[in-house]
C-alpha cells in the first residue's frame, strides 16, 4: 500500500542562510523546494535529544523536520515500525532503530553506503558498524550505545555499613537488610531492588544478564545452537523469581525502564538495574537522590562473571522515503562527532565514536564514562545477528517464559526446558 505524502510537506524556502542557498539566492540558480523530513525518534527519556539535533539540521539546511514520537517501550516501537514499513508507507523518512533490529528490518531500509560519503563510518566502533551491516548493506548509522548497569544508593550503603555487591547473593542479602532497616525507620515504600520485569524486550535484556552471569550462556550461541536448557540458566531465573515480593515490588512484572527510574529517583529503592541514561537524570534537578548515587557493574552468580547486555540505538532511512538523500544527510548530522559529543555532555549518552571516550570534556561531564567504555567493550550481545529475521520470536519466547517464572507460574528448570524446545523449533525453520 502506498500512502502519498501530504502536500504540506513541501514548501518554498523562506529564511535563513541554508534557505538562501537552497533558494539559489547566492548562486543565482532557480528556487529549490524545501522538503519536510519526518523522523521517528524521542520517547520521553534521554532520546529526547534527537528532536533538538533534528531542528538544528533543519535550521542549517533550510529544510524542515517533523518529529514523530513513538511509544516508549522498544517492543511497542517495533510493532509500529513493522506496520509502517510493512505497508510501504512513505510517511516516515528516518527511523530510530534498536541495535537488535537490523536483521529483521534491513530489507525495508536503504543502503546508506549509496548516500553517505566514503569513510562515513570511520572512527565508529567496528562492532556496531558490523551489527548494522546486513548482507553488505549498511542499513543504519550507530547513534548511541548502552550497557546494563547497577545503580546504588551510596549514602544508604554507607549508613548501614554494606559494600557494593559483587554477587547476586550479596545483592539479595544487602537489599533484604537495608530494606528492613529503612522500613523500620518509617519508609514503607522502600524496596531493595528494582528492575524491568514487564514481558517485553527489556526483560530479555535483564534475563540475559542473569543467565549469562551465572555461566548459563546466551540463549543461542554464535554458531546458532540453542544453549538455554541448562541448570545454571534455570538457577538464574529461580533466583530472580525469589526477589519478587521480597526485595522487588510485585509491580516489577509490569515495569519498564522509566517506572524503575521513577522508583529509584524518588528515593524508594536501594539498587536499580538500568542503562547509562539514568546517570544524569538521577543526579539532576528532578531527582530526590542527586549526589547520593553510585554506578557499578552488575553482580554475578556463583559460577559466572558480571555481564552487561549490550543495547543502543541507530538511525536508518526507510526504503519508502521520497527523499532518501536528505534523510541520509539528517542521519549523518545527528550521528556526527559534534552531535554525539553534545548528546554525551547534555544527557550522558554513550557515544558510538571511539575517540569521544578520550575527550576531556566528555570524561569530565560523566566520571563513569571511562569505566563504561570497559563495560561496553565487554558487553553481551543479544543473539540478534545469528537469529536474524527470527530474533523477535526468539526474544518473545524468552521474555514470556521468564515472565511466567517471575510470576510464579513456572519453575526455572521447566522454563528453560520449554524454551529450549521452542527455540529449537524456530531454529529448524532456519536462521
Ligand atoms: C535500551 C537499549 C535497547 C534495548 C531496550 C530494552 O533502550 O538501548 O537496546 O532493547 O533498552 O528496553
Amino acid at each position: 500500500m502506498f500512502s502519498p505524502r501530504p502536500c504540506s510537506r513541501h514548501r518554498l524556502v523562506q529564511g535563513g542562510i541554508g534557505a538562501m542557498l537552497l533558494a539559489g539566492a547566492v548562486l543565482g540558480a532557480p528556487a529549490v523546494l524545501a522538503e519536510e523530513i519526518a523522523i521517528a525518534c524521542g520517547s520521553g527519556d534521554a532520546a529526547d535529544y534527537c528532536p533538538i539535533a533534528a531542528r538544528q539540521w533543519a535550521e542549517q539546511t533550510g529544510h524542515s523536520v517533523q518529529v514523530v514520537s513513538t511509544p516508549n517501550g522498544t517492543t511497542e516501537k517495533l510493532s509500529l515500525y513493522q506496520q509502517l514499513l510493512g505497508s510501504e508507507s512513505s510517511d516516515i523518512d528516518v527511523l530510530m532503530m534498536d541495535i537488535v533490529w537490523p536483521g529483521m528490518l534491513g530489507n525495508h531500509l536503504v543502503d546508506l553506503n549509496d548516500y553517505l560519503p566514503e569513510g562515513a563510518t570511520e572512527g565508529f566502533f567496528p562492532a556496531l558498524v558490523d551489527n548494522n551491516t546486513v548482507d553488505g548493506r549498511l542499513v543504519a548509522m550507530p547513534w548511541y550505545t548502552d550497557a546494563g548497569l547497577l545503580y546504588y544508593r551510596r549514602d544508604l550503603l554507607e549508613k548501614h555499613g554494606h559494600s557494593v555487591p559483587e554477587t547476586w547473593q550479596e545483592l539479595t542479602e544487602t537489599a533484604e537488610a537495608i530494606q528492613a532497616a529503612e522500613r523500620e525507620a518509617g519508609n514503607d515504600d522502600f524496596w531493595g531492588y528494582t528492575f524491568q520485569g514487564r514481558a517485553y524486550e527489556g526483560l530479555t535484556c535483564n534475563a540475559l544478564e542473569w543467565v549469562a552471569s551465572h555461566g548459563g550462556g546466551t540463549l543461542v550461541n554464535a554458531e546458532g545452537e540453542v544453549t538455554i536448557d541448562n541448570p545454571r540458566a534455570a538457577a538464574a531465573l529461580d533466583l530472580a523469581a525469589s526477589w519478587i515480593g521480597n526485595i522487588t515490588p510485585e509491580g516489577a512484572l509490569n515495569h519498564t525502564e522509566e517506572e524503575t527510574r521513577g522508583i529509584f529517583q524518588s528515593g524508594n529503592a536501594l539498587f536499580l538495574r538500568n542503562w547509562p541514561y539514568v546517570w544524569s537524570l538521577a543526579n539532576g534537578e528532578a531527582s530526590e537522590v542527586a549526589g547520593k548515587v553510585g554506578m557499578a557493574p552488575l553482580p554475578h552468580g556463583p559460577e559466572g562473571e558480571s555481564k552487561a547486555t549490550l543495547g543502543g540505538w541507530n538511525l536508518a532511512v526507510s526504503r519508502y522515503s521520497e527523499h532518501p538523500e536528505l534523510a541520509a544527510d539528517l542521519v549523518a548530522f545527528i550521528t556526527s562527532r559534534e552531535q554525539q559529543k553534545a548528546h554525551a555532555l547534555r544527557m550522558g549518552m554513550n557515544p558510538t565514536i571511539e575517540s569521544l571516550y578520550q575527550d576531556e570534556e566528555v570524561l569530565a561531564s560523566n566520571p563513569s564514562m571511562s569505566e563504561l567504555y570497559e563495560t561496553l567493550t565487554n558487553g553481551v550481545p543479544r543473539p540478534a545477528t545469528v537469529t536474524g529475521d527470527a530474533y523477535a520470536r526468539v526474544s518473545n519466547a524468552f521474555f514470556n517464559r521468564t515472565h511466567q517464572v517471575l510470576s510464579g507460574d513456572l519453575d526455572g528448570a521447566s522454563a528453560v526446558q520449554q524454551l529450549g524446545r521452542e527455540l529449537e523449533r524456530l531454529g529448524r525453520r532456519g536462521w
Side-chain angles (χ1 to χ4, degrees), residues 74 98-100 146 200-202 205 257 275 310-313 382:
T74 182
D98 198 337
I99 190 173
V100 286
D146 261 346
Y200 81 122
E201 187 64 27
C205 298
E257 284 79 1
W275 306 98
L310 274 183
W313 291 84
R382 282 160 276 174

Side-chain angles (χ1 to χ4, degrees), residues 143-163:
W143 179 27
Y144 68 84
T145 176
D146 261 346
L149 294 165
L150 182 74
Y151 290 89
Y152 59 88
R153 286 284 300 280
R154 209 163 11 88
D155 58 327
L156 293 183
L157 288 183
E158 268 164 32
K159 173 175 156 195
H160 297 284
H162 287 266
S163 43

Side-chain angles (χ1 to χ4, degrees), residues 78-94:
L78 176 62
S79 311
L80 178 78
Y81 285 5
Q82 281 171 326
Q83 276 171 30
L84 233 136
L85 296 170
S87 67
E88 305 191 357
S89 162
S90 62
D91 287 351
I92 308 273
D93 303 285
V94 176

Side-chain angles (χ1 to χ4, degrees), residues 16-243:
I17 296 177
M20 271 164 47
L21 282 169
L22 267 177
V26 174
L27 301 176
V32 176
L33 281 181
E35 301 293 350
E36 183 176 81
I37 298 298
I39 175 165
C41 68
S43 51
D45 57 23
D48 279 351
Y49 181 69
C50 173
I52 302 174
R55 285 191 195 104
Q56 282 181 28
W57 174 84
E59 229 158 74
Q60 287 185 17
T61 60
H63 295 287
S64 59
V65 286
Q66 184 199 353
V67 178
V68 181
S69 57
T70 56
N72 205 299
T74 182
T75 303
E76 286 91 341
K77 243 197 267 282
L78 176 62
S79 311
L80 178 78
Y81 285 5
Q82 281 171 326
Q83 276 171 30
L84 233 136
L85 296 170
S87 67
E88 305 191 357
S89 162
S90 62
D91 287 351
I92 308 273
D93 303 285
V94 176
L95 306 112
M96 175 178 167
M97 300 254 312
D98 198 337
I99 190 173
V100 286
W101 298 345
M104 285 186 284
L105 300 181
N107 287 341
H108 296 285
L109 306 171
V110 304
D111 181 356
L112 290 168
N113 287 319
D114 294 344
Y115 298 97
L116 298 180
E118 215 168 291
T121 55
E122 248 164 55
F124 284 73
F125 284 110
L128 298 178
V129 175
D130 284 353
N131 180 80
N132 295 356
T133 305
V134 182
D135 299 330
R137 302 170 67 246
L138 178 68
V139 299
M141 280 296 279
W143 179 27
Y144 68 84
T145 176
D146 261 346
L149 294 165
L150 182 74
Y151 290 89
Y152 59 88
R153 286 284 300 280
R154 209 163 11 88
D155 58 327
L156 293 183
L157 288 183
E158 268 164 32
K159 173 175 156 195
H160 297 284
H162 287 266
S163 43
V164 180
E166 286 182 10
T167 65
W168 291 113
Q169 193 54 38
E170 283 165 22
L171 175 136
T172 309
E173 286 162 13
T174 304
E176 280 170 350
I178 296 184
Q179 178 180 299
E182 287 295 305
R183 286 189 184 187
E184 184 91 349
N187 183 358
D188 290 340
D189 296 328
F190 194 85
W191 288 96
Y193 186 40
T194 171
F195 63 86
Q196 299 78 47
R198 186 201 278 194
Y200 81 122
E201 187 64 27
L203 179 54
T204 287
C205 298
N206 281 255
L208 180 64
E209 285 157 355
W210 306 329
V211 168
S213 68
H214 273 77
T218 57
L219 279 183
V220 177
N221 66 17
E223 284 70 50
E225 292 152 0
V226 176
T227 59
I228 188 65
D229 186 4
N230 70 77
R232 292 180 184 182
L237 297 187
D238 283 331
L239 174 69
S242 78
W243 295 330

Side-chain angles (χ1 to χ4, degrees), residues 216-290:
T218 57
L219 279 183
V220 177
N221 66 17
E223 284 70 50
E225 292 152 0
V226 176
T227 59
I228 188 65
D229 186 4
N230 70 77
R232 292 180 184 182
L237 297 187
D238 283 331
L239 174 69
S242 78
W243 295 330
I244 305 291
N246 176 29
I247 56 169
T248 302
E250 261 115 21
L253 295 172
N254 206 24
H255 285 169
T256 68
E257 284 79 1
E258 284 295 86
E259 288 87 24
T260 59
R261 175 169 74 86
I263 296 174
F264 187 75
Q265 253 184 234
S266 55
N268 287 332
L270 175 66
F271 297 122
L272 161 72
R273 182 269 175 213
N274 214 315
W275 306 98
Y277 83 93
V278 166
W279 179 257
S280 54
L281 296 171
N283 285 305
E285 271 170 25
S287 170
E288 304 275 326
V289 297

